Amino acid sequence: MGQARILMADTEAAAAPQIGAVERKLGLAELLWGSAFIRKTLLILVLAAIWQVYASILDNPLLFPTLGDTLSAMADGFLHGPLALRAWTSIKVLLMGYAAGIALAATLTVLAINTRIGTDFLETMTAMFNPLPAIALLPLALIWFGLGIGSLVFVLIHSVLWAVALNTHSGFLAVSNTLRMVGRNYGLKGFGYVARILVPAAFPSILTGLKIGWAFAWRTLIAAELVFGVSSGQGGLGWFIFENRNLLDIPSVFAGLLTVIIIGLVVENVIFRTIERRTVRRWGLQN
């Protein structure tokens, strides 16, 4: 009987799957597929192919130009036309409004995290103005600041301010009490407490707010320029799109739209990804 049990145990052990670490070199296809950059590039190429095929089948340049015609119009706009100047004009205005919005958001958030009245003020103002589309303030901007950069900067500040302030304040509130007590024990107060304790701990939320603020500001700027974004003959990308739409130069319209998309992709996947890699991931705040 004992020998039978031993024999059965040996049989079960032999039949059991052998679990162990097996090292295997990844093939080239697997290595490439493991890169997010490669996957996103392939996705963009697929979308570009769909665009080209659909436009070719439709065969109506006034309705939907091919990708080839759009790229040709874009190259001509950058080399011989005003597209480069229009893009730079939009970027300059965007940077002014974005920087001003971030500065105001930082001020309100520091006040909110240090005083009760500051918290009440930020929560009330955010609840009032965050749902309000920035483009709805365009008539007031025209009355107050006239036809020019001032009006654009005003609506951009509104687009950036509340998104950044809300996410930053939420991130500060989520910081653990342990870190807060460490800061208090070191005698940190005011701006020093915020900069050394709260900002590093809440940086993922802050970065999210910066991304949302950038997206809101970029689309608000293009929409505002489509309406009135020209001053002394110098408009931005939105005006470039509007101008060529009036001329029925549809490939140039799509070239302007594609330029807007490319700038957005560069900012998101180069600038913000670099900031995230050098801060949030390096500090171990995100996997």
Side-chain angles (χ1 to χ4, degrees):
M1 188 68 176
Q3 292 179 348
R5 288 180 178 176
I6 294 173
L7 182 59
M8 289 176 63
D10 292 341
T11 304
E12 291 176 357
Q18 300 297 318
I19 301 175
V22 178
E23 293 185 1
R24 183 176 66 86
K25 294 182 67 175
L26 295 176
L28 179 61
E30 291 174 309
L31 289 173
L32 292 176
W33 188 250
S35 170
F37 175 78
I38 298 296
R39 294 196 304 271
K40 291 178 181 179
T41 301
L42 289 175
L43 180 59
I44 291 174
L45 291 176
V46 170
L47 293 175
I50 294 173
W51 178 353
Q52 180 68 26
V53 170
Y54 175 75
S56 299
I57 294 173
L58 187 62
D59 194 23
N60 189 346
L62 288 177
L63 184 63
F64 199 89
T66 64
L67 178 60
D69 291 339
T70 301
L71 293 177
S72 178
M74 179 184 289
D76 184 68
F78 273 105
L79 295 176
H80 308 294
L83 187 53
L85 180 61
R86 296 287 191 259
W88 175 238
T89 300
S90 290
I91 291 172
K92 285 192 299 183
V93 175
L94 177 71
L95 290 176
M96 286 190 285
Y98 191 62
I102 291 174
L104 285 174
T107 303
L108 290 179
T109 308
V110 170
L111 291 175
I113 207 66
N114 285 287
T115 63
R116 290 184 178 179
I117 188 64
T119 300
D120 294 338
F121 178 78
L122 179 60
E123 290 178 351
T124 302
M125 296 297 287
T126 302
M128 289 171 57
F129 291 109
N130 192 40
L132 181 66
I135 204 68
L137 296 176
L138 204 52
L140 288 178
L142 286 171
I143 295 172
W144 292 343
F145 303 102
L147 187 65
I149 292 178
S151 298
L152 292 173
V153 171
F154 175 76
V155 295
L156 288 178
I157 289 173
H158 175 78
S159 299
V160 175
L161 174 58
W162 310 115
V164 175
L166 183 62
N167 279 272
T168 302
H169 189 245
S170 299
F172 286 171
L173 294 178
V175 175
S176 67
N177 289 328
T178 303
L179 286 175
R180 294 175 182 273
M181 287 188 290
V182 168
R184 299 301 185 190
N185 289 337
Y186 276 98
L188 296 176
K189 295 181 180 179
F191 182 77
Y193 171 69
V194 172
R196 296 187 180 185
I197 300 296
L198 297 182
V199 170
F203 199 74
S205 294
I206 296 173
L207 188 59
T208 299
L210 293 174
K211 290 181 181 180
I212 295 173
W214 148 258
F216 283 178
W218 188 226
R219 68 189 186 189
T220 297
L221 175 62
I222 301 302
E225 286 179 342
L226 279 168
V227 179
F228 73 97
V230 62
S231 177
S232 301
Q234 296 298 321
L237 281 171
W239 187 255
F240 176 85
I241 295 169
F242 181 79
E243 213 172 22
N244 285 282
R245 194 267 298 180
N246 287 339
L247 297 173
L248 290 181
D249 188 357
I250 307 304
S252 293
V253 171
F254 274 72
L257 293 172
L258 188 58
T259 303
V260 172
I261 293 172
I262 290 173
I263 292 174
L265 286 173
V266 169
V267 171
E268 173 66 28
N269 292 285
V270 176
I271 297 177
F272 281 120
R273 289 289 181 186
T274 301
I275 295 173
E276 184 180 31
R277 186 168 57 252
R278 294 186 177 181
T279 55
V280 177
R281 293 185 180 179
R282 178 174 292 182
W283 298 341
L285 298 174
Q286 189 180 80
N287 294 326

